[in-house]
Amino acid sequence: MIHRQVTSNNSFAESAPENPPLFGWLAILGLVLFSVACITVGAGSIFRPGYVVVSLAVGIFLYLRYPTLYMGFLWWIWFLTPLVARLIDYRTSFDSTRFILVSQYLVTLITMHTALKNLPRSYHQGGLPFILAFLGVFYGYLIGLVKTTPFTAARGLLDWLTPISFAFYIFITWQNYPRHRQNIVRTFLWGVLVTGIYGVVQFLIAPEWDRFWLIGTKLTSFGDPEPFGIRVWSTMASPGPFATTMMAGLLLLFNSKDVLRIPASVVGYLSFLLTMVRSIWGAWLVGLLSLLSSLKPKIQMRLMVTILVMAVCVVPLANMEPFSGVISKRLETFSNLEKDNSAQIRQEIYKDGLTKALTNGLGNGIGNTFIVNEKGLLEPIVIDSGILDMFFTLGWFGAVFYLGGLILLLFQVFQYFETRIDPFMAAARAIGIACVASLPIGSGMLGVSGMILWGFLAIVMAGHKYYVHQNYVQQRNSRFN
């Protein structure tokens, strides 16, 4: 458990060292062995509920005993669980409910324990953005309870609530900023390497379990279930969240000194391009420009050299077949958007959704995916925009709180000068800005994309509070010495 101790001058003492994580790794190993055994024998009826229960139990154990290991475990659950779900589907039968994916949310919602204990008093510690966001989400949930079933509203609540709960946990445990920083850098380095390799393999050979899942879901927007025809989503659930995760990892790699950063970047950028998610490509560019502008000139020069080295490694591969054909074709659409069918459909959806969202004062409620049309009939909601989704789902009242919290959070992280001396803080802020930039054309505040948006902005706040505390301690010690 993370302990906080308030001193007489209202500053926070450093948290106690964690126990050696041997038993934590044994718990994770137990989950891995359970998964491998059940998938091997095709025990789907046992594995699906068992995976949810065991992963939650492991998460609680790590949260209580090894919080740093819990953070890494949490990210890997998001990275790998969709692949685990596809494997057990392939070995047994297709599960249209996707029940196993609930485990990601439940493991993350363990952090609500911290939120419930600390949220009321966090206002005086700078936690107002999270308080506002929580209020907006719970308002939307109440509307959802009225307009849909409790189960449907609860399922939708998971998407909205987990990112804020996770971000608040990072913010309120700011004393552990150095541990969180090290853990995130290591986790995303390996995450980019592993999921990047799988993404390239997925494109080249289209594994049978991925083809089986793609045929079962009938998601034609993910490409064709054949080699060279898939829009890569790697180990995750769809190309969008995978592209967002890869974007965050690739921006973090610019500051990495690990020997694995080059191979991770090569497969990472290649699989990132193979997602074909143009909006996140653009968001990556926004993040890169933000990162460059945040650093001192000396660090900027080092970053430019790193970018050049990575470009030398990645560009030749991206220009080789079979990669160059699909990547070049997608890149060409940037210069010819008026003839791009996907862009035209998105524009029509946005125009139609703008009216629906801004005239829906109370909101449709979380989990309610239908609206009554002009003929009095129910029709499904199609709004491919995070901003419009906020107003449509949460209504004006909830969206003002939620969006207000997000804007306030952005405003605060732009005030911190520590980003010029801490490259990780600069990269984390750049990732948060990139995610916000993608909101007009995608619901990037939900699920794992929301975890990245809120989580990386929160760790910038945590880093600021940590450095302020360190400066205070140094000044106090200098006075007494």
Side-chain angles (χ1 to χ4, degrees), residues 111-123:
T111 57
M112 278 299 295
H113 170 257
T114 297
L116 293 174
K117 287 199 329 182
N118 296 279
L119 190 64
R121 61 174 180 241
S122 68
Y123 173 81

Side-chain angles (χ1 to χ4, degrees), residues 19 62 99 131 152 178 183-184 209 244 262 279 473:
N19 300 318
L62 297 179
F99 172 73
I131 295 173
T152 304
N183 180 270
I184 288 174
W209 43 88
T244 302
I262 298 301
S279 60
V473 171

Side-chain angles (χ1 to χ4, degrees), residues 28 43 63 111 138 140 147 233 251 275 295 377 392 424 426 468:
I28 294 172
Y63 169 82
T111 57
F138 280 113
K147 294 191 175 184
W233 68 91
L251 289 174
T275 63
L295 301 172
L377 301 175
F392 192 89
F424 173 80
V468 168

Side-chain angles (χ1 to χ4, degrees), residues 243-405:
T244 302
T245 303
M246 198 57 65
M247 175 197 71
L250 292 171
L251 289 174
L252 284 177
L253 285 181
F254 285 129
N255 294 319
S256 175
K257 298 179 181 179
D258 196 289
V259 68
L260 291 175
R261 72 186 185 280
I262 298 301
S265 297
V266 171
V267 294
Y269 278 107
L270 196 53
S271 60
F272 180 57
L273 291 171
L274 291 171
T275 63
M276 311 298 172
V277 184
R278 294 174 302 188
S279 60
I280 306 301
W281 292 353
W284 172 86
L285 181 59
V286 171
L288 178 61
L289 295 176
S290 173
L291 177 59
L292 282 169
S293 65
S294 301
L295 301 172
K296 290 181 177 180
K298 182 179 179 180
I299 303 178
Q300 285 179 342
M301 289 302 298
R302 190 177 69 193
L303 180 59
M304 291 300 294
V305 172
T306 303
I307 294 172
L308 182 61
V309 171
M310 291 181 177
V312 169
C313 296
V314 174
V315 172
L317 270 177
N319 283 290
M320 292 172 55
E321 290 294 347
F323 308 117
S324 62
V326 293
I327 294 174
S328 299
K329 184 178 179 180
R330 192 64 168 172
L331 286 171
E332 288 172 0
T333 61
F334 280 110
S335 60
N336 198 17
L337 289 176
E338 65 275 5
K339 294 184 179 180
D340 180 63
N341 185 55
S342 175
Q344 291 177 351
I345 292 174
R346 188 184 295 272
Q347 290 175 6
E348 291 300 320
I349 290 175
Y350 202 92
K351 290 178 182 177
D352 184 51
L354 182 63
T355 303
K356 292 179 180 178
L358 298 184
T359 57
N360 194 352
L362 291 177
N364 220 48
I366 289 176
N368 186 12
T369 58
F370 291 89
I371 188 172
V372 179
N373 61 21
E374 297 176 352
K375 298 180 180 179
L377 301 175
L378 288 176
E379 65 177 25
I381 302 166
V382 182
I383 297 182
D384 198 9
S385 164
I387 302 297
L388 296 185
D389 196 3
M390 291 178 199
F391 283 94
F392 192 89
T393 302
L394 307 179
W396 276 91
F397 182 82
V400 166
F401 277 94
Y402 185 90
L403 193 56

